[in-house]
DNA sequence: TTCTCTGTTTGATCCAGGTCAAACAGGGTC
DNA sequence: GACCCTGTTTGACCTGGATCAAACAGAGAA
């Protein structure tokens, strides 16, 4: 409940709202014209800082808003009564958190910052209101939700039908692609999550993740130094995904 | 492409639209008042019959509408280039198919009828139009999408963190609960899918599914005769889910 | 500098579920 | 009736990834 009681921080100078944000094309404003984005600005007036390891929200909390990541990154997870954790996703800047809460008016998973981060608070009732007036916003919001569903299907495929090394390859390629979309190098990046979190996401134990990294390094596919990753052979990784085995 | 070329069948007497449908409370009309449902009726004028094993839509096809299942049931799946299939869900009456297509304007999975079925066609552009006017419809539609996301997270938990028998127990309990919501017996039902399809959904091989069924039968939890299932001990199945092992 | 704490790597062993194979059961057709 | 054909069950064996265990590496703190 600690996370819940954190008071949202209203940032003083509001000039850096959606209309000024360089994440527009990855986020909710995509497809809106200038006047529409200005209307969205009014909605997204408050922001909140979340320190590393802190919760943005917890399973069970009342749902009131969705969040757009402005800086930093998060993981979402579900925890069973017996303590088993399943990481359901890793989110980067421009991505939307909290969509799980709409269905029951309560969040159904936890969102935890992987590094010091900041999110834009989008009150959901107001978003629905505005998206009744702004067609482009409505449509973009539906696309964001649908994209999450498609992403989830991909994860099911990964968990249900791929072997350990394929899963890790898919994960690395996905990260690479998302870093690229944000203007970073496709080949070199820093992972914010632990081996254990990667393992939970991929349905593997941390040792298996570590071994797969070592294997990739031996095979010259990547260079790994702790959390720093350099992908040396993207086609090689892709090949590995499609050709599960020599058998 | 066969599935795509099937001409939608307009049913003659339109009196059995949403306003007359007994699936209202499970479907898109939930929460709408009578006059609002009448407006929805105009939208959902056409239906389509899909025979067992036929596709409602295929991955890659242009997205134009979502579908509400009126009778019968479906599976959705994703297929990799190398032929591996991952079943991403089983859908029953009142549930909505096609949400995956919104994000890219093309379907990203296949939907196949598990028995002779009928769906209501809901043209998506018109749905967005109407939900800009009808607040309750907008909200219900958002809940439907969110519910799909929550469901997907549950499947990830299942695939990533549960053992074979837990997965099957979770599956049976889920089916039971959904049959109950439709006015059928919680304890006795007929599975429309094969062991292989169940296995694909649960990330297991068909033999493992079969063995788990046999084990449950030995332990007096269920009685299994081919596709006909009778659950004898619901608490027992639940217990099995939360206490993975005696270890 | 050393100590501690958390996360990572690597090795040795084990087992749940996969694989291969064969028998079986029910439903449809001739 | 006999004959498929598809889906299911069961058995025997194998293996990928889990488990257990120990060493190691970097980041802070004192």
């Amino acid at each position: 409940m600690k996370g819940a009681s954190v008071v949202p921080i209203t940032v003083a100078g509001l000039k850096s709202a959606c209309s000024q944000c360089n994440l527009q094309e990855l986020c909710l404003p995509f497809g809106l014209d200038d006047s529409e984005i200005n209307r969205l600005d009014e909605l997204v007036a408050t922001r909140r800082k979340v320190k590393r390891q802190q919760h943005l929200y917890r399973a069970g909390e009342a749902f009131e808003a969705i969040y757009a990541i402005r800086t930093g990154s998060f993981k979402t997870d579900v925890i069973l009564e017996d303590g088993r954790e399943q990481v359901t996703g890793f989110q980067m800047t421009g991505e939307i958190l909290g969509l799980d809460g709409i269905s029951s008016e309560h969040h159904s998973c936890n969102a935890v910052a992987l590094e010091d981060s900041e999110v834009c608070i989008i009150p959901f009732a107001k978003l629905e209101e505005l998206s009744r007036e702004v067609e482009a916003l409505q449509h973009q919001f539906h696309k964001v939700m649908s994209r999450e569903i498609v992403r989830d299907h991909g994860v099911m495929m990964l968990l249900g039908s791929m072997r350990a090394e394929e899963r890790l390859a898919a994960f690395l390629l996905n990260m690479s692609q998302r870093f690229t979309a944000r203007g970073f190098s496709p080949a070199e990046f820093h992972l914010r999550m632990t081996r254990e979190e990667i393992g939970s996401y991929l349905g593997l134990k941390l040792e298996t993740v570590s071994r797969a990294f070592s294997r990739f390094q031996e095979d010259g596919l990547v260079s790994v130094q702790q959390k720093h990753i350099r992908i040396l052979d993207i086609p090689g990784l892709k090949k590995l995904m499609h050709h599960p085995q020599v058998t």
Side-chain angles (χ1 to χ4, degrees), chain A:
Chain A
M1 292 292 119
K2 288 170 211 163
S5 61
V6 169
V7 179
I9 295 158
T10 308
V11 175
L14 279 183
K15 53 174 170 264
S16 52
C18 299
S19 51
Q20 308 298 319
C21 182
N22 61 345
L23 294 163
Q24 272 182 32
E25 62 287 351
L26 292 166
C27 196
L28 219 44
F30 182 76
L32 307 214
D33 66 30
D34 289 352
S35 75
E36 290 167 340
I37 292 189
N38 287 334
R39 299 191 64 184
L40 191 55
D41 278 352
E42 294 166 35
L43 236 176
V44 193
T46 41
R47 284 188 240 129
R48 181 170 146 197
K49 287 182 194 292
V50 186
K51 284 222 164 306
R52 187 173 127 81
Q53 301 280 42
Q54 275 193 345
H55 282 72
L56 172 60
Y57 56 79
R58 286 168 193 268
E61 281 178 17
F63 166 77
E64 278 159 18
I66 61 174
Y67 306 92
I69 303 177
R70 199 176 156 71
T71 60
S73 55
F74 288 80
K75 70 168 177 181
T76 47
D77 66 15
V78 183
I79 297 179
L80 288 184
E81 307 83 77
D82 60 23
R84 279 179 287 181
E85 177 198 35
Q86 175 67 36
V87 171
T88 54
F90 298 112
Q91 294 79 22
M92 304 184 20
T93 53
E95 294 176 336
I96 304 292
L97 281 161
L99 300 173
D100 57 281
I102 302 169
S103 68
S104 66
E105 326 258 338
H106 290 268
H107 287 289
S108 68
C109 65
N110 305 290
V112 182
L114 294 174
E115 59 193 306
D116 293 357
S117 302
E118 191 175 14
V119 298
C120 302
I121 301 178
I122 307 169
F124 189 64
K126 288 188 182 172
L127 177 67
E128 283 195 328
E129 197 183 313
L130 186 58
S131 73
R132 260 176 269 131
E133 293 174 32
V134 179
E135 189 175 339
L137 176 62
Q138 178 198 39
H139 194 59
Q140 176 61 10
F141 178 61
H142 291 162
K143 284 196 170 190
V144 166
M145 293 208 91
S146 174
R147 195 177 305 145
E148 175 67 16
I149 291 171
V150 173
R151 189 194 71 83
D152 291 349
H153 290 176
V155 178
M156 285 184 213
M157 167 57 93
L158 189 147
L159 291 170
S161 309
M162 291 182 165
R163 2 195 60 268
E165 292 188 3
E166 293 180 81
R167 296 184 199 186
L168 188 63
F171 170 75
L172 289 175
L173 290 168
N174 176 261
M175 292 303 283
S176 163
Q177 178 253 304
R178 285 155 77 196
F179 278 116
T180 309
R182 282 158 185 78
F184 299 111
S185 164
E188 204 166 353
F189 46 84
H190 195 82
L191 297 176
R192 295 344 275 227
M193 66 295 284
T194 66
R195 299 287 189 264
E196 187 168 21
E197 287 164 334
I198 297 172
S200 171
Y201 179 63
L202 300 178
L204 302 169
K205 292 294 163 185
L206 70 96
E207 295 95 327
T208 305
V209 174
S210 178
R211 275 184 244 271
F213 269 126
S214 302
R215 185 86 204 291
F216 286 176
Q217 182 146 282
E218 280 169 36
D219 296 351
L221 294 168
V222 300
S223 147
V224 186
Q225 274 177 290
Q226 304 283 117
K227 294 190 150 74
H228 191 86
I229 305 290
R230 182 192 295 198
I231 303 185
L232 304 172
D233 184 359
I234 289 189
L237 280 180
K238 285 187 179 156
K239 211 168 176 179
L240 203 153
M241 276 186 57
H242 303 317
H243 304 281
Q245 234 168 332
V246 198
T247 317

